[in-house]
Amino acid sequence: MKIPQELRFAASHEWATEPADGIVTVGISDFAQDQLGDVVFVELPDVGRTLAAGEAAAVVESVKTASDIYAPLAGEVVEVNGALLDAPEAINTDAYGEGWLFRLRVTDPEAWGGMLDADAYAAVAEEG
Amino acid sequence: MSDFPLVFERSAPGRRAARPPVTEGPGMAELLGEDALRADPPRLPEVSELDLVRHYTQLAHRQFSIDGNFYPLGSCTMKYNPKLHEDAADRFLDLHPYQDPDHAQGVLALLHGLQGDLATITGMDAISLQPAAGAHGELTGILMIRAYHEANGEGEQRRVVICPDGAHGTNPATASMAGYDVVEVPTGPDGEVDIDAFEAALGPDTAAVMLTNPNTLGIFERRILRMAEAAHAVGAQLYYDGANLNAVVGRARPGDMGFDVVHLNLHKTFTTPHGGGGPGTGPVGVKAHLAPYLPVPLVKREGDRFVLDAERPRSIGRMRSFYGNVGNLVRAYAYIRTLGAEGLRRVSSMAVLNANYLRMKMKEAGFTIAFDRINMHEFVAQPPAGLRTLDIAKALLDHGVHPMTVYFPLIVKEAMMVEPTETESLETLDAYAAILAEVLQRAQDDPEYLAGAPRHTPVRRLDETTAARKPVLRHGFAPG
C-alpha cells in the first residue's frame, strides 16, 4: 500500500497536495481504491463550485459500491480530471497520479498542515 | 448445464413457426394508408415452432427462484409464495380498472379490508395501497411529510432528513428526490444508532428521520422510543422503512414505536412474488395527522357500499395510475387472512429463530459475525481475513444455492448479509451451513479454488468491470 510522504490525507481517504499558489490537487488513496475494487464510474464536481471542508464533492462507483468523495479542505473547484469520465480505471492504476479527481483553490492554505501526514494516515488505513 | 444460442442466433431466413392464412378484403395499405406502412419489414428472428419452444424452455430452466432453491438474500425476504394466492389472484383477472365502482364492489371490499388489516398490523390510522414498490412508498411517505411541514409554514425551515449510516440506499435517495439534504448518523459499537450523535443531529431544520427497525444489521433498535421522543421534540417526523417488517410482524408495531409514516413491502413480508422483475407493492400507512395528505383515491366505506374517494383537497395527488398493483394486493390479503394474527406471529418468530440458528452455524464454520449478538430476521457475517466475500458468493453458485446479499450494509467490510426467512426447514439451513463450511475449508486448502469459481454454471466469472465500463447493450443476428 503506497502512502507518499509529500501528501496529506483526510480520515475519509482523500489525499491533497501541498498548496501551490493556493491550489491543491485532490484524489483518493491507494488504500481507498483497493477497498473499492475496480472503479467503473466517476462523477466530478462542477468547476466554480464552492465546497466546505468535508462536503461531498464527487462520487466514485465500483463494481462493489458507490462512495461519496469529500472535499478535504474548503475551497473553490478550479479544474476537474475529465479524462476519468472515459477512463475511470486510472484511479485503480495510478491513484496518486493520473487518477487525481479535482483541483481546489483553497480558502485557507494553512489548513493543509492540519491534515493527516503519511504516518498518521497509515495508522488510519491500518484500522480500516 | 451448457450454454445455448440466443433466439437471434437460431434464426434462418424464411423459417417460420406459423403461416397466417391469406385474407380476403382490404389490405393494410388500404386500411391504414400507404404512408403508414414501413418500407422494410422489421428484422425479427425467423425460427420454427420447436426452436422457439426450446428457446423458452431452456430459458425457463435457467431461472433461479425460491421455488427451485434456497435464496437467503439479506434484506430481500425471499420467502415462499404460497400457490393458493395465485388462485385467489386469478379470480380478479377479468376486472378492468375503468369498471364502474358499483360493478366492482367485491374487489373494493377486499382492498378496504386490506387497508384495515395493514393499519392494524402497523399501528397506523390510514393506509394507501397505491405505491408500486418500496422505494415508491418511501417517496410517497416523504412527500406527505413535506406537504405536512409546508402546511404548518415550516417548509422552508425543515431542509434535512436524517438517515443512519447503515440505511438502505433508497432512504437517502428518497430524501434527495424529495428535495432534502441528507445527514448521516453513525452506528454505535452495539450495532444500534449512536444515540448521542443522533440527538446532536436533530434540530429545528430536521424534516424527518428515516429508520428501519430492526436495522440493516438485523439488530433491534432498543432505544427506539427515546429516539422517537427526541425526533418529535424538535418537530421532526419519523419514517419507518418497512423492508424489515418480517422480523416483527404480529409482535411489534411501528405505530407503537412512535413512527408517523410507514411503508410496507408486500413482496417481502406478505409473500407476493418478487425477484423476477414482476411488480412490487409498497403501501404506505400514516398516523391521523398525515392522513389528509395520502394519495388519491382511497377506498372508503359509505354505509354498505365501497367507493373510491378522490375528494381529498390536501392530498399530495396521485402516485400511480389506477389503484396500485391489485393482483399483488389480492395475494397479500389472501396471505394475511390465511394466517391470521396467530399465524403472523409465528412468521416473525420462525424468521428470527432461523436467522439466529444460521448465525450460530456460520460462526461454527469459521465466519465472523459483525456485531455478534442475538439478531432478528437477518444477520451480517464476514469471511476470515484474506478471503473476499465476492469469491465465496461465486463458489456458492456451484452448489446450486443463492449467495447471501454481499457488500451491504456498507458499514461492514466484506459484508455477507443473510436472511433465511421462516419458510425454510432445519434441514435446508443445515445444508447451507454445510456448503459454507465446505467452501471455506476448500478455500483454505487450495488458494486457486475461490479464484476459479464458479466452475459449473452456464457462464463462469463475469467480467463485471468491462461490462460496466464498456457495456454492449445491443445484440444482433449471427453473422451472415
Side-chain angles (χ1 to χ4, degrees), chain A residues 31 34-35 38-40 63-65 88-89 92 127-128, chain B residues 184 388 390 406-407 410 413-414 464-466 468-470:
Chain A
F31 172 79
D34 183 60
Q35 289 290 310
D38 289 338
V39 176
V40 296
V63 289
K64 248 162 58 172
T65 184
E89 57 269 29
N92 295 118
E127 283 177 27
Chain B
E184 197 178 270
R388 289 218 156 178
L390 182 71
V406 300
Y407 299 114
L410 305 176
K413 273 190 194 170
E414 300 295 327
E464 292 175 44
T465 306
T466 305
R469 283 177 184 162
K470 298 182 177 61

mmCIF file of all heavy atoms in Angstrom, chain A residues 31 34-35 38-40 63-65 88-89 92 127-128, chain B residues 184 388 390 406-407 410 413-414 464-466 468-470:
data_model
loop_
_atom_site.group_PDB
_atom_site.id
_atom_site.type_symbol
_atom_site.label_atom_id
_atom_site.label_comp_id
_atom_site.label_asym_id
_atom_site.label_seq_id
_atom_site.Cartn_x
_atom_site.Cartn_y
_atom_site.Cartn_z
ATOM 1 N N PHE A 31 -5.047 2.911 -0.723
ATOM 2 C CA PHE A 31 -5.838 2.043 0.157
ATOM 3 C C PHE A 31 -7.317 2.106 -0.232
ATOM 4 O O PHE A 31 -7.991 1.093 -0.350
ATOM 5 C CB PHE A 31 -5.644 2.481 1.612
ATOM 6 C CG PHE A 31 -6.551 1.774 2.588
ATOM 7 C CD1 PHE A 31 -6.262 0.481 3.013
ATOM 8 C CD2 PHE A 31 -7.694 2.394 3.073
ATOM 9 C CE1 PHE A 31 -7.102 -0.171 3.906
ATOM 10 C CE2 PHE A 31 -8.537 1.743 3.963
ATOM 11 C CZ PHE A 31 -8.229 0.459 4.385
ATOM 12 N N ASP A 34 -8.089 0.312 -3.439
ATOM 13 C CA ASP A 34 -8.010 -1.140 -3.260
ATOM 14 C C ASP A 34 -9.272 -1.665 -2.581
ATOM 15 O O ASP A 34 -9.789 -2.724 -2.936
ATOM 16 C CB ASP A 34 -6.769 -1.476 -2.426
ATOM 17 C CG ASP A 34 -6.599 -2.975 -2.263
ATOM 18 O OD1 ASP A 34 -6.471 -3.650 -3.304
ATOM 19 O OD2 ASP A 34 -6.629 -3.463 -1.112
ATOM 20 N N GLN A 35 -9.778 -0.913 -1.604
ATOM 21 C CA GLN A 35 -11.004 -1.320 -0.914
ATOM 22 C C GLN A 35 -12.217 -1.256 -1.841
ATOM 23 O O GLN A 35 -13.107 -2.091 -1.760
ATOM 24 C CB GLN A 35 -11.249 -0.411 0.302
ATOM 25 C CG GLN A 35 -10.268 -0.640 1.430
ATOM 26 C CD GLN A 35 -10.487 -1.982 2.104
ATOM 27 O OE1 GLN A 35 -11.595 -2.333 2.482
ATOM 28 N NE2 GLN A 35 -9.419 -2.755 2.221
ATOM 29 N N ASP A 38 -12.481 -2.421 -8.680
ATOM 30 C CA ASP A 38 -12.441 -1.775 -9.996
ATOM 31 C C ASP A 38 -13.450 -0.636 -10.097
ATOM 32 O O ASP A 38 -14.651 -0.847 -9.971
ATOM 33 C CB ASP A 38 -12.733 -2.793 -11.094
ATOM 34 C CG ASP A 38 -11.577 -3.768 -11.272
ATOM 35 O OD1 ASP A 38 -10.456 -3.412 -10.871
ATOM 36 O OD2 ASP A 38 -11.812 -4.873 -11.784
ATOM 37 N N VAL A 39 -12.938 0.559 -10.355
ATOM 38 C CA VAL A 39 -13.809 1.735 -10.484
ATOM 39 C C VAL A 39 -14.413 1.750 -11.888
ATOM 40 O O VAL A 39 -13.709 1.546 -12.877
ATOM 41 C CB VAL A 39 -13.010 3.029 -10.220
ATOM 42 C CG1 VAL A 39 -13.887 4.250 -10.453
ATOM 43 C CG2 VAL A 39 -12.471 3.026 -8.792
ATOM 44 N N VAL A 40 -15.723 1.955 -11.964
ATOM 45 C CA VAL A 40 -16.389 1.921 -13.272
ATOM 46 C C VAL A 40 -17.041 3.253 -13.646
ATOM 47 O O VAL A 40 -17.434 3.450 -14.790
ATOM 48 C CB VAL A 40 -17.447 0.799 -13.327
ATOM 49 C CG1 VAL A 40 -16.779 -0.559 -13.177
ATOM 50 C CG2 VAL A 40 -18.509 0.968 -12.256
ATOM 51 N N VAL A 63 -17.547 -1.809 -8.934
ATOM 52 C CA VAL A 63 -18.486 -2.914 -9.114
ATOM 53 C C VAL A 63 -19.131 -3.279 -7.775
ATOM 54 O O VAL A 63 -20.182 -3.889 -7.732
ATOM 55 C CB VAL A 63 -17.817 -4.157 -9.744
ATOM 56 C CG1 VAL A 63 -17.490 -3.894 -11.199
ATOM 57 C CG2 VAL A 63 -16.567 -4.563 -8.990
ATOM 58 N N LYS A 64 -18.496 -2.885 -6.679
ATOM 59 C CA LYS A 64 -18.986 -3.234 -5.354
ATOM 60 C C LYS A 64 -19.943 -2.196 -4.790
ATOM 61 O O LYS A 64 -20.944 -2.513 -4.183
ATOM 62 C CB LYS A 64 -17.792 -3.334 -4.397
ATOM 63 C CG LYS A 64 -17.534 -4.725 -3.919
ATOM 64 C CD LYS A 64 -16.143 -4.923 -3.340
ATOM 65 C CE LYS A 64 -15.761 -4.055 -2.182
ATOM 66 N NZ LYS A 64 -14.461 -4.480 -1.606
ATOM 67 N N THR A 65 -19.602 -0.930 -4.951
ATOM 68 C CA THR A 65 -20.319 0.105 -4.208
ATOM 69 C C THR A 65 -20.117 1.477 -4.844
ATOM 70 O O THR A 65 -19.264 1.650 -5.706
ATOM 71 C CB THR A 65 -19.823 0.125 -2.736
ATOM 72 O OG1 THR A 65 -20.585 1.069 -2.008
ATOM 73 C CG2 THR A 65 -18.362 0.499 -2.637
ATOM 74 N N PRO A 88 -12.056 5.645 -16.030
ATOM 75 C CA PRO A 88 -12.041 5.695 -14.561
ATOM 76 C C PRO A 88 -11.019 4.744 -13.952
ATOM 77 O O PRO A 88 -10.653 4.897 -12.788
ATOM 78 C CB PRO A 88 -13.475 5.283 -14.186
ATOM 79 C CG PRO A 88 -13.996 4.514 -15.355
ATOM 80 C CD PRO A 88 -13.321 5.092 -16.554
ATOM 81 N N GLU A 89 -10.532 3.783 -14.756
ATOM 82 C CA GLU A 89 -9.577 2.806 -14.216
ATOM 83 C C GLU A 89 -8.274 3.461 -13.760
ATOM 84 O O GLU A 89 -7.505 2.862 -13.016
ATOM 85 C CB GLU A 89 -9.303 1.690 -15.226
ATOM 86 C CG GLU A 89 -8.792 2.146 -16.590
ATOM 87 C CD GLU A 89 -9.919 2.396 -17.594
ATOM 88 O OE1 GLU A 89 -11.044 2.765 -17.170
ATOM 89 O OE2 GLU A 89 -9.670 2.233 -18.799
ATOM 90 N N ASN A 92 -7.612 3.237 -10.178
ATOM 91 C CA ASN A 92 -7.047 1.985 -9.685
ATOM 92 C C ASN A 92 -5.553 1.868 -10.000
ATOM 93 O O ASN A 92 -4.766 1.434 -9.162
ATOM 94 C CB ASN A 92 -7.767 0.780 -10.301
ATOM 95 C CG ASN A 92 -9.221 0.692 -9.878
ATOM 96 O OD1 ASN A 92 -10.118 0.773 -10.706
ATOM 97 N ND2 ASN A 92 -9.475 0.572 -8.581
ATOM 98 N N GLU A 127 -6.336 0.609 10.616
ATOM 99 C CA GLU A 127 -7.584 0.298 11.318
ATOM 100 C C GLU A 127 -8.728 0.051 10.337
ATOM 101 O O GLU A 127 -9.715 -0.566 10.684
ATOM 102 C CB GLU A 127 -8.000 1.480 12.215
ATOM 103 C CG GLU A 127 -7.211 1.581 13.499
ATOM 104 C CD GLU A 127 -7.621 2.817 14.286
ATOM 105 O OE1 GLU A 127 -8.765 3.282 14.140
ATOM 106 O OE2 GLU A 127 -6.771 3.323 15.033
ATOM 107 N N GLY A 128 -8.578 0.569 9.121
ATOM 108 C CA GLY A 128 -9.624 0.418 8.118
ATOM 109 C C GLY A 128 -10.645 1.501 8.283
ATOM 110 O O GLY A 128 -11.793 1.357 7.983
ATOM 111 N N GLU B 184 -26.128 12.019 7.761
ATOM 112 C CA GLU B 184 -25.922 10.629 8.139
ATOM 113 C C GLU B 184 -25.500 10.556 9.608
ATOM 114 O O GLU B 184 -24.680 11.348 10.047
ATOM 115 C CB GLU B 184 -24.798 10.086 7.253
ATOM 116 C CG GLU B 184 -24.679 8.602 7.192
ATOM 117 C CD GLU B 184 -23.553 8.207 6.225
ATOM 118 O OE1 GLU B 184 -23.855 8.043 5.039
ATOM 119 O OE2 GLU B 184 -22.406 8.076 6.667
ATOM 120 N N ARG B 388 -12.250 -13.014 0.194
ATOM 121 C CA ARG B 388 -13.186 -11.988 -0.245
ATOM 122 C C ARG B 388 -14.587 -12.569 -0.399
ATOM 123 O O ARG B 388 -14.771 -13.652 -0.953
ATOM 124 C CB ARG B 388 -12.706 -11.370 -1.563
ATOM 125 C CG ARG B 388 -11.470 -10.505 -1.349
ATOM 126 C CD ARG B 388 -11.491 -9.266 -2.219
ATOM 127 N NE ARG B 388 -10.634 -8.238 -1.594
ATOM 128 C CZ ARG B 388 -10.404 -7.051 -2.129
ATOM 129 N NH1 ARG B 388 -10.949 -6.722 -3.268
ATOM 130 N NH2 ARG B 388 -9.632 -6.182 -1.503
ATOM 131 N N LEU B 390 -16.950 -11.707 -2.331
ATOM 132 C CA LEU B 390 -17.382 -11.935 -3.713
ATOM 133 C C LEU B 390 -16.992 -13.333 -4.183
ATOM 134 O O LEU B 390 -17.776 -14.037 -4.826
ATOM 135 C CB LEU B 390 -16.767 -10.879 -4.643
ATOM 136 C CG LEU B 390 -17.202 -11.015 -6.104
ATOM 137 C CD1 LEU B 390 -18.668 -10.622 -6.269
ATOM 138 C CD2 LEU B 390 -16.331 -10.163 -7.017
ATOM 139 N N VAL B 406 -24.352 -9.415 -0.728
ATOM 140 C CA VAL B 406 -22.943 -9.139 -0.485
ATOM 141 C C VAL B 406 -22.667 -7.633 -0.504
ATOM 142 O O VAL B 406 -23.336 -6.879 -1.194
ATOM 143 C CB VAL B 406 -22.037 -9.872 -1.498
ATOM 144 C CG1 VAL B 406 -22.247 -11.377 -1.404
ATOM 145 C CG2 VAL B 406 -22.273 -9.403 -2.923
ATOM 146 N N TYR B 407 -21.682 -7.243 0.308
ATOM 147 C CA TYR B 407 -21.227 -5.850 0.380
ATOM 148 C C TYR B 407 -22.323 -4.873 0.790
ATOM 149 O O TYR B 407 -22.350 -3.735 0.342
ATOM 150 C CB TYR B 407 -20.554 -5.433 -0.935
ATOM 151 C CG TYR B 407 -19.342 -6.298 -1.218
ATOM 152 C CD1 TYR B 407 -19.291 -7.171 -2.288
ATOM 153 C CD2 TYR B 407 -18.261 -6.265 -0.339
ATOM 154 C CE1 TYR B 407 -18.196 -7.993 -2.501
ATOM 155 C CE2 TYR B 407 -17.165 -7.078 -0.540
ATOM 156 C CZ TYR B 407 -17.134 -7.934 -1.625
ATOM 157 O OH TYR B 407 -16.057 -8.737 -1.815
ATOM 158 N N LEU B 410 -22.980 -1.066 4.043
ATOM 159 C CA LEU B 410 -21.656 -0.560 3.694
ATOM 160 C C LEU B 410 -20.745 -0.405 4.902
ATOM 161 O O LEU B 410 -19.538 -0.311 4.755
ATOM 162 C CB LEU B 410 -21.801 0.803 2.995
ATOM 163 C CG LEU B 410 -22.713 0.816 1.765
ATOM 164 C CD1 LEU B 410 -22.847 2.230 1.224
ATOM 165 C CD2 LEU B 410 -22.196 -0.115 0.689
ATOM 166 N N LYS B 413 -17.177 -4.331 6.492
ATOM 167 C CA LYS B 413 -16.284 -4.729 5.401
ATOM 168 C C LYS B 413 -16.587 -6.152 4.964
ATOM 169 O O LYS B 413 -16.788 -7.030 5.799
ATOM 170 C CB LYS B 413 -14.845 -4.680 5.896
ATOM 171 C CG LYS B 413 -14.223 -3.336 5.755
ATOM 172 C CD LYS B 413 -12.750 -3.477 6.039
ATOM 173 C CE LYS B 413 -12.154 -2.121 6.233
ATOM 174 N NZ LYS B 413 -10.791 -2.237 6.743
ATOM 175 N N GLU B 414 -16.543 -6.395 3.663
ATOM 176 C CA GLU B 414 -16.771 -7.741 3.119
ATOM 177 C C GLU B 414 -18.083 -8.329 3.661
ATOM 178 O O GLU B 414 -18.176 -9.521 3.957
ATOM 179 C CB GLU B 414 -15.592 -8.670 3.440
ATOM 180 C CG GLU B 414 -14.254 -8.211 2.872
ATOM 181 C CD GLU B 414 -14.210 -8.210 1.342
ATOM 182 O OE1 GLU B 414 -14.852 -9.065 0.711
ATOM 183 O OE2 GLU B 414 -13.546 -7.317 0.781
ATOM 184 N N GLU B 464 -17.303 -8.141 -14.723
ATOM 185 C CA GLU B 464 -18.241 -7.080 -14.347
ATOM 186 C C GLU B 464 -17.660 -5.693 -14.624
ATOM 187 O O GLU B 464 -18.388 -4.747 -14.912
ATOM 188 C CB GLU B 464 -18.608 -7.203 -12.863
ATOM 189 C CG GLU B 464 -19.428 -8.443 -12.567
ATOM 190 C CD GLU B 464 -19.685 -8.635 -11.080
ATOM 191 O OE1 GLU B 464 -20.013 -7.651 -10.408
ATOM 192 O OE2 GLU B 464 -19.541 -9.773 -10.606
ATOM 193 N N THR B 465 -16.335 -5.596 -14.521
ATOM 194 C CA THR B 465 -15.705 -4.294 -14.723
ATOM 195 C C THR B 465 -15.878 -3.826 -16.164
ATOM 196 O O THR B 465 -16.353 -2.716 -16.418
ATOM 197 C CB THR B 465 -14.210 -4.385 -14.375
ATOM 198 O OG1 THR B 465 -14.103 -4.915 -13.055
ATOM 199 C CG2 THR B 465 -13.558 -3.035 -14.449
ATOM 200 N N THR B 466 -15.530 -4.688 -17.116
ATOM 201 C CA THR B 466 -15.680 -4.302 -18.520
ATOM 202 C C THR B 466 -17.153 -4.114 -18.866
ATOM 203 O O THR B 466 -17.517 -3.202 -19.615
ATOM 204 C CB THR B 466 -15.048 -5.364 -19.440
ATOM 205 O OG1 THR B 466 -13.694 -5.543 -19.041
ATOM 206 C CG2 THR B 466 -15.087 -4.933 -20.893
ATOM 207 N N ALA B 468 -19.405 -2.970 -17.011
ATOM 208 C CA ALA B 468 -19.857 -1.668 -16.508
ATOM 209 C C ALA B 468 -19.179 -0.519 -17.256
ATOM 210 O O ALA B 468 -19.794 0.510 -17.501
ATOM 211 C CB ALA B 468 -19.577 -1.558 -15.016
ATOM 212 N N ARG B 469 -17.890 -0.725 -17.600
ATOM 213 C CA ARG B 469 -17.168 0.375 -18.253
ATOM 214 C C ARG B 469 -17.518 0.492 -19.730
ATOM 215 O O ARG B 469 -17.625 1.587 -20.269
ATOM 216 C CB ARG B 469 -15.655 0.153 -18.123
ATOM 217 C CG ARG B 469 -15.111 0.485 -16.751
ATOM 218 C CD ARG B 469 -13.635 0.172 -16.689
ATOM 219 N NE ARG B 469 -13.126 0.389 -15.339
ATOM 220 C CZ ARG B 469 -11.983 -0.108 -14.887
ATOM 221 N NH1 ARG B 469 -11.240 -0.870 -15.667
ATOM 222 N NH2 ARG B 469 -11.586 0.133 -13.663
ATOM 223 N N LYS B 470 -17.656 -0.646 -20.379
ATOM 224 C CA LYS B 470 -17.923 -0.635 -21.836
ATOM 225 C C LYS B 470 -19.104 -1.547 -22.142
ATOM 226 O O LYS B 470 -18.949 -2.592 -22.768
ATOM 227 C CB LYS B 470 -16.674 -1.100 -22.592
ATOM 228 C CG LYS B 470 -15.473 -0.181 -22.371
ATOM 229 C CD LYS B 470 -14.269 -0.641 -23.163
ATOM 230 C CE LYS B 470 -13.103 0.319 -22.998
ATOM 231 N NZ LYS B 470 -12.653 0.446 -21.585
#
